[in-house]
Amino acid sequence: MRIITGQYKGRHFDVPRSFKARPTTDFAKENIFNVLNAYIDFDGATALDLFSGTGSISLELLSRGCSTVVSVEADRDHHAFIKQCLAKLGTDRCTAIRGDVFRFIKSCHHKFDFIFADPPYALKELATIPDLIFRNGLLAADGIFVFEHGKDNDFSAHPNFVDHRSYGSVNFSLFQIK
C-alpha cells in the first residue's frame, strides 16, 4: 500500500497477508482523487473515513493536507495497523476509532468536508449508508461524500447523487447536499 501524492508521497506500508480488508487499488485511488480535485480542496479540510480497513484512504487524506481525519474501523487488527501507520508518519491529525460504523454515524455530532465509505461489498446494510450519512447530518454544506461499492449497486436515483465513476471492479458514487 502506498501514498499517491502530497506530503507523504511515495511512502509504503506493508499490509499483513492475513488481513481481510481489500485496500482500494492504487489505480482506483489515484483516479478517484483526480476526479475529486474538481469538487474539493483537501488542504485544511476535515475528513471522515468509514470502514477504513488498512487506512489507505486516511493516510492519503492526511498527505493531501486535511487538517483532521477521523478513521473508523471495527476490526481490532486493522485498527492497530492504522495506528502503527500513523505513528510511522508521526502525525496527530488523525483520530483512529475502533468501533462500529453504524453506531458512530448515529452518535457523531460533527460535520465533515469530505466523507469516504468503503464497506464490505457483501454488507447487507450497504444500500442504507448514503441515507444514514444525510439523515444524521454528517456532511458539511459544500462537502462531498464518496461511497465505494460493487458493480451491483446503483445510487443514481438518490436525491444527493452527483456522479458515478468505475475503475475495473471498483465503483464510486459521489454525493453532495443539494
Side-chain angles (χ1 to χ4, degrees), residues 38-174:
Y39 287 95
I40 185 170
D41 178 4
F42 288 104
D43 194 35
T46 58
L48 174 62
D49 182 11
L50 300 171
F51 305 96
S52 341
T54 62
S56 171
I57 298 298
S58 291
L59 299 175
E60 192 70 37
L61 292 166
L62 289 168
S63 186
R64 289 171 185 258
C66 284
S67 63
T68 306
V69 177
V70 176
S71 176
V72 183
E73 173 56 46
D75 184 275
R76 175 180 46 98
D77 294 335
H78 296 190
H79 175 259
F81 179 75
I82 293 167
K83 290 188 71 117
Q84 287 174 357
C85 292
L86 294 170
K88 286 179 184 175
L89 293 180
T91 182
D92 62 355
R93 293 181 293 130
C94 183
T95 302
I97 297 172
R98 181 173 169 228
D100 178 78
V101 166
F102 295 99
R103 285 187 184 151
F104 177 85
I105 290 171
K106 289 177 184 169
S107 65
C108 182
H109 300 294
H110 298 284
K111 290 191 182 296
F112 297 90
D113 300 312
F114 180 76
I115 301 174
F116 187 91
D118 179 12
Y121 291 178
L123 185 72
K124 67 178 182 168
E125 302 93 349
L126 183 139
T128 68
I129 294 170
D131 284 337
L132 290 173
I133 296 294
F134 289 101
R135 190 175 321 126
N136 288 284
L138 297 184
L139 191 64
D142 294 329
I144 183 94
F145 166 44
V146 176
F147 190 43
E148 183 175 336
H149 55 84
K151 65 181 181 339
D152 296 331
N153 300 98
D154 179 4
F155 295 96
S156 60
H158 192 280
N160 299 98
F161 175 86
V162 291
D163 199 358
H164 174 264
R165 299 296 172 114
S166 178
Y167 306 104
S169 62
V170 180
N171 289 266
F172 297 101
S173 289
L174 284 66

